[in-house]
Amino acid sequence: MPEINDNARRWLVEVATDVLDHGTSGTFTIAPEVTRRSAENYTDAERFNAELRRLFRRIPLLLAASCEIQGRGDFRTYQIAGVPVLLTRDADGQARALVNICTHRGAPVAHGAGHCSRFTCSYHGWTFGLDGRLAAVSSAADFGAVDRGTYGLRQLPVLEKGGMIWAILDPESTLDIDAFLGMFGEALSAFDLTGWMLVSEKTLTGANWKLAFDAHMEFYHLPVLHKNTFGPQTSPRALYYFEGPHQRLIRPVRYEKNGMPARADLFQWAEHPQDTWPIESMMMGEWILFPNVSFNSFYDGGRGVLVSRIYPGETVGESITVQSYYMAGQPSDAERAEAQKTADFLEGVVAGEDLVNSRNQQRALDSGLLREVSYGCNERGIVHFHEWVDRILAASDAELNTLFRDGRATA
Ligand code: FES
Ligand SMILES: [Fe+2]
C-alpha cells in the first residue's frame, strides 16, 4: 500500500471511525425525506444529448489503470460520448490521450488495443508518433506541401496519478483534473493500481446509463434483486460519505470473507490507536468516482479490485458497462483462476440481474405511465449523484473549476 497525504489519511480515519461507531451501535444515517425526480431524466433524448455534451465531454473520465498501457508504445482506443480516443504511452513514458482522428480526412489512426512504435492511418497511410505529432505524409511529393507541425493528432488533457489515467474529452478544456478529484482522488490512489494486472475485462450492455449506475449507489436492492446470488440476508443498509461529487458506500457490518487478510478488516483494529490502522483496513466499501465509475475490493486469489465503468450508449435507452478486474502484484495461475471465478460471478450478477432489471425499468419508464421515480432516505447517494449531474449541466465552462472547489466545501 502506498503512502497517501495527511489530509487523505485523516479523511480515511474519520470515515473508518464513523463506520466503527455505527457498526458498534447498529445504527446508520438516513436522509430527512424521500426525494422525487421526473422519470424523463432517464428517457428524454434531449437531456441525454446534453449529458453527452456537457457532462461526458467536459468532466475528467477514468480511462484506464496505468498497467493497461504499461510499456512505451502500448495503446488502447475508446469511443466515448461520440469521441474517438487513443490512449497511449509515448517514448518518454508519458501517458497521452489523443483524438483518434487522422488529420488528413478523418479515419481512425488506431484500432482496438496493442503495441506499436507509431500509428499508421489505414486509409492513406499517414503516420503519427506516439506523442501524436505527424511523422510522415505518404507520397508526400504528390500530396503537396503541408505544415506538419499543425497536423498532429489533437491532444486531450490527461492526468496519470496513483496508477490511474484520467482524460477530458475536450481539447480546449482548462479544468483542473486534480481539483476535480480532490481528496477523494488522493485517497483513491491508496488502491495503488500501479504495477497491477488486468485479469479480466467484460463488456455488458444495459439501459440508460444512469439507470445502470443508480444500482451502484444503493444497497437497498441487494437482498431482493440479488437474493439468489448475494443472498436474502445481505444487509440493505449503506453509510454514505461524500467528497465533492464523489462518494463512498459502506455497510456498517463486519467484512468477513474467505481469503481476506485480517489487517484488511477494520473491526480488527477498533481497540488499537488510530495512527496504527493499516490503510487497507480503511478502504472498504464501494467507491463511486463521479460521473460513472465504481470500485469494489475482493480477496479471491489475492487482493483485487473490480472497477466498473458505465458509459452512455448510442441512445438514451442504452449503456455499456465495462467491468475491469485488477489484481495486485504478480498472481500465480491458480490465484488468477480464483479471481477469474469472482469476475465471472460478478458479470453474471450485473448482466443477469442488474442490467436485465434496468432494461425492464427503461421499457416501463418509456411508456410515460410513471411520471416520477422516488429515492428513499436510505438511497441518498443517488440523490447526491443526480444533483451533481444537474449542477454540471447548468454550469458554464468558466464555472466548472469553481464548482468543484466550492462544491467540496459544501457537499
Ligand atoms: S485519412 Fe488518414 S491518411 Fe487519409
Ligand atoms: Fe445490483
Side-chain angles (χ1 to χ4, degrees):
M1 282 275 172
E3 274 315 304
I4 54 172
N5 74 26
D6 288 348
N7 273 347
R9 189 177 166 96
R10 245 193 311 277
W11 184 56
L12 290 180
V13 169
E14 201 179 291
V15 168
T17 306
D18 194 63
V19 172
L20 283 174
D21 286 349
H22 284 289
T24 313
S25 58
T27 54
F28 81 125
T29 45
I30 56 172
E33 58 193 3
V34 171
T35 304
R36 292 203 300 267
R37 181 172 275 270
S38 167
E40 287 184 356
N41 187 30
Y42 301 104
T43 60
D44 183 65
E46 218 169 283
R47 161 111 197 170
F48 174 69
N49 288 330
E51 288 166 358
L52 297 185
R53 263 190 352 268
R54 300 187 62 78
L55 182 71
F56 278 88
R57 292 175 69 155
R58 294 200 303 166
I59 297 299
L61 300 176
L62 177 69
L63 292 190
S66 299
C67 61
E68 292 172 69
I69 53 161
Q70 191 71 45
R72 291 154 201 228
D74 288 351
F75 71 89
R76 290 199 67 157
T77 59
Y78 306 84
Q79 181 77 24
I80 305 171
V83 180
V85 182
L86 167 55
L87 183 69
T88 186
R89 195 171 296 286
D90 71 16
D92 297 326
Q94 294 280 331
R96 299 263 183 176
L98 307 165
V99 176
N100 188 14
I101 298 179
C102 177
T103 49
H104 173 217
R105 282 205 276 129
V109 302
H111 300 268
H115 175 88
C116 66
S117 56
R118 54 172 54 188
F119 300 104
T120 302
C121 178
S122 52
Y123 198 175
H124 310 93
W126 283 25
T127 57
F128 298 85
L130 295 171
D131 57 1
R133 89 203 134 73
L134 176 61
V137 171
S138 30
S139 307
D142 297 346
F143 187 82
V146 289
D147 174 3
R148 281 200 275 151
T150 64
Y151 273 83
L153 300 175
R154 296 198 78 180
Q155 309 271 340
L156 300 171
V158 68
L159 174 73
E160 183 166 25
K161 178 175 176 161
M164 287 166 273
I165 305 170
W166 282 267
I168 304 177
L169 307 186
D170 171 9
E172 314 285 333
S173 175
T174 57
L175 187 63
D176 178 345
I177 303 180
D178 242 332
F180 165 79
L181 295 173
M183 194 168 56
F184 190 91
E186 179 68 28
L188 196 63
S189 70
F191 279 113
D192 193 25
L193 292 166
T194 316
W196 283 37
M197 180 183 272
L198 178 66
V199 294
S200 168
E201 185 174 289
K202 320 263 194 185
T203 301
L204 320 173
T205 55
N208 176 270
W209 73 276
K210 289 176 299 181
L211 281 181
F213 199 38
D214 283 352
H216 287 268
M217 289 177 284
E218 45 93 351
F219 292 160
Y220 188 30
H221 75 285
L222 299 188
V224 184
L225 183 65
H226 301 309
K227 61 182 177 303
N228 296 322
T229 44
F230 292 154
Q233 303 309 330
T234 311
S235 168
R237 288 181 158 186
L239 295 170
Y240 289 96
Y241 300 94
F242 302 111
E243 168 60 18
H246 318 292
Q247 58 181 289
R248 293 175 65 187
L249 284 75
I250 302 176
R251 201 175 287 124
V253 295
R254 191 153 205 150
Y255 279 71
E256 280 175 316
K257 193 160 187 312
N258 283 349
M260 187 171 103
R263 55 187 273 115
D265 175 19
L266 178 64
F267 285 79
Q268 302 273 336
W269 300 95
E271 304 305 322
H272 294 68
Q274 289 177 342
D275 59 0
T276 65
W277 292 354
I279 289 179
E280 59 263 55
S281 74
M282 297 186 279
M283 298 297 286
M284 79 294 248
E286 180 162 17
W287 293 62
I288 301 289
L289 172 72
F290 191 86
N292 68 329
V293 190
S294 90
F295 289 69
N296 282 284
S297 291
F298 292 93
Y299 292 90
D300 303 300
R303 186 166 145 68
V305 176
L306 180 76
V307 178
S308 304
R309 275 163 271 209
I310 291 85
Y311 295 110
E314 295 284 318
T315 68
V316 61
E318 296 170 285
S319 64
I320 295 165
T321 293
V322 180
Q323 291 184 322
S324 309
Y325 194 104
Y326 304 96
M327 289 189 83
Q330 296 296 317
S332 67
D333 287 352
E335 288 166 339
R336 286 181 63 164
E338 193 63 29
Q340 187 67 51
K341 266 195 264 167
T342 301
D344 293 345
F345 168 75
L346 295 166
E347 175 192 23
V349 172
V350 173
E353 297 175 353
D354 291 296
L355 295 177
V356 168
N357 180 67
S358 78
R359 277 190 289 269
N360 291 339
Q361 283 178 287
Q362 186 80 49
R363 263 193 297 276
L365 298 181
D366 283 343
S367 75
L369 293 173
L370 182 71
R371 297 174 62 164
E372 288 183 328
V373 296
S374 300
Y375 309 112
C377 303
N378 55 348
E379 298 180 295
R380 63 199 183 104
I382 306 184
V383 176
H384 181 85
F385 165 75
H386 287 280
E387 283 172 357
W388 270 96
V389 172
D390 286 349
R391 235 172 256 167
I392 288 162
L393 294 189
S396 68
D397 286 357
E399 283 164 351
L400 274 188
N401 268 317
T402 327
L403 184 64
F404 294 120
R405 276 198 304 272
D406 294 353
R408 179 148 305 106
T410 57

